[in-house]
Amino acid sequence: MAPIEPDPALVDAVRSAQRVVVFSGAGMSAESGVPTFRDALTGLWERFDPMELATPEAWARDPALVWAWYEWRAALVRRVRPNAGHVALADWARATDLTVVTQNVDDLHERAGSTVAAHLHGSLFAPRCSACARPAELDDVRFAGPGHEPAERITPPACVACGAPVRPGTVWFGEDLPAESWRVAVGAAENCDLMVVVGTSGVVYPAAELPVRAVRAGATVVEINPDPTDLTAAVTHSWRATAARALPALAAAAGSGR
Ligand code: OAD
């Protein structure tokens, strides 16, 4: 595929940026093979709406269904690899003060070599007790072992301290964001001079406030997304491109591309 070029105003913004924040959403991992929340699921999970499984109500109603869904997602993430966009961000961070704030619960930024300052919606790989909040040390094989068969219901493991069911370490609809992650994310958004908003539909709050906070604080905000979103009208530049194509081009413009 032919390389793509950012427009000249964007190249200037990237070259002059001292503090960069990348705010990523599910589209960041789409080219790795992780479906976004708006993609229809196939196979075992096609009858379920992710928005309805990621709730405290779903957990209260049917913990084994919710746990099985998260095990399936974790196994899927374990099978895929970071894409060229994740790699470009890790390279860019070696040359610039660059902070990654993500809504993603996968670990693809980290596996590409980035440090993630804030996982606003938690992680697939940090389950904890639903009662006493003790982190659960689950054998990683559980998520991706050879022969791991997808199942529609898997009883969640019991907490070794109190016996209550272990729950996924993700933030569900209606739950508060982890306070420290949110504090770090707001601080970064309000103190950057360039924010790259990549692969998010910008409909889930409060995370979607971050680009608006950055614009208000005077930053240049560029959206990378093949489609327009709820944030498009608010940002400085909107680049209709995918993460795996646009981010290497931006990192190269910043002088840190491979
Ligand atoms: P969404 O699934 O809402 O949106 C994904 C966005 O990625 C869409 O705007 C797509 O157009 C865009 N997209 C698709 N492929 C892309 C690509 N290759 N490169 C760049 N962009 C691409 O995902 P989020 O905005 O992350 O919350 O969703 C926000 C939150 O809602 C999630 O963190 C999750 C979800 O329900 C919780 O789990 C609490």
Side-chain angles (χ1 to χ4, degrees):
M1 226 183 281
I4 56 173
E5 296 281 336
D7 81 43
L10 197 47
V11 172
D12 288 345
V14 164
R15 288 211 174 124
S16 59
Q18 305 282 312
R19 285 180 309 280
V20 180
V21 169
V22 173
F23 173 52
S24 63
M28 177 79 226
S29 302
E31 287 151 295
S32 291
V34 183
T36 72
F37 293 91
R38 322 292 144 181
D39 289 334
L41 295 179
T42 54
L44 180 65
W45 296 102
E46 69 191 341
R47 293 178 293 114
F48 296 97
D49 178 353
M51 304 300 180
E52 284 170 19
L53 290 168
T55 64
E57 293 75 22
W59 174 255
R61 203 169 41 237
D62 196 344
L65 177 71
V66 172
W67 184 263
W69 185 61
Y70 279 101
E71 270 206 23
W72 171 80
R73 286 183 63 197
L76 185 151
V77 166
R78 277 285 182 259
R79 281 196 305 271
V80 304
R81 307 176 111 162
N83 63 54
H86 295 104
V87 172
L89 291 178
D91 287 344
W92 193 356
R94 282 188 262 279
T96 310
D97 175 349
L98 184 148
T99 302
V100 177
V101 171
T102 190
Q103 298 167 89
N104 295 344
V105 295
D106 65 45
D107 58 356
L108 295 173
H109 281 301
E110 288 93 336
R111 279 162 57 199
S114 288
T115 300
V116 174
H119 267 282
L120 294 175
H121 293 161
S123 163
L124 284 172
F125 304 107
R128 64 176 188 276
C129 176
S130 59
C132 72
R134 181 192 169 101
E137 284 170 27
L138 295 184
D139 186 344
D140 207 38
V141 170
R142 172 152 203 136
F143 295 116
H148 177 100
E149 290 299 326
E152 193 171 307
R153 280 193 171 69
I154 301 173
T155 303
C159 172
V160 294
C162 76
V166 169
R167 60 158 282 174
T170 50
V171 176
W172 290 328
F173 287 98
E175 293 187 318
D176 289 338
L177 269 48
E180 179 59 13
S181 294
W182 180 242
R183 192 190 64 73
V184 166
V186 168
E190 293 183 338
N191 288 292
C192 67
D193 42 28
L194 174 68
M195 178 183 274
V196 180
V197 180
V198 54
T200 180
S201 54
V203 296
V204 175
Y205 282 82
E209 271 176 35
L210 293 173
V212 178
R213 285 181 182 247
V215 169
R216 284 203 196 118
T220 299
V221 179
V222 51
E223 172 181 68
I224 295 173
N225 198 307
D227 294 316
T229 72
D230 282 19
L231 294 169
T232 302
V235 300
T236 328
H237 299 271
S238 207
W239 192 6
R240 299 266 158 271
T242 71
R245 300 201 70 211
L247 291 171
L250 272 196
S256 55
R258 285 189 175 172

